Amino acid sequence: MEYLVIIEKTDKNYSAYLPDIPGCVATGNTKEEVIKNLKEALLLHVEGLREDGLPIPEPVAQSVYVFAPI
């Protein structure tokens, strides 16, 4: 399954989350690091859901850019 990842730049690092997997978040010093950390977090999160007998959410989130006239 492929999930949409939202990456946000903060003052000191990057943070990322998966809109389809509430609570699955990560941080990193670079985009590459935050993606790596989020993949690890996703694996752990999915393992926890399976252990608890909970369903794994289907990927449904999408993204699109809109441009505002400035």
Side-chain angles (χ1 to χ4, degrees):
M1 286 194 251
E2 291 184 335
Y3 290 97
L4 174 66
V5 175
I6 304 297
I7 301 171
E8 298 175 335
K9 176 75 172 113
T10 68
D11 290 339
K12 298 184 181 198
N13 64 4
Y14 290 87
S15 64
Y17 66 95
L18 302 163
D20 293 319
I21 310 283
C24 190
V25 299
T27 62
N29 291 321
T30 64
K31 286 183 190 179
E32 293 77 16
E33 183 178 19
V34 76
I35 291 169
K36 175 185 164 289
N37 293 344
L38 189 62
K39 286 179 182 179
E40 292 173 6
L42 177 59
L43 287 174
L44 291 172
H45 199 92
V46 168
E47 285 178 12
L49 290 172
R50 285 187 176 137
E51 288 174 5
D52 293 341
L54 298 171
I56 299 167
E58 291 290 322
V60 295
Q62 298 179 21
S63 69
V64 61
Y65 282 95
V66 295
F67 296 93
I70 298 177

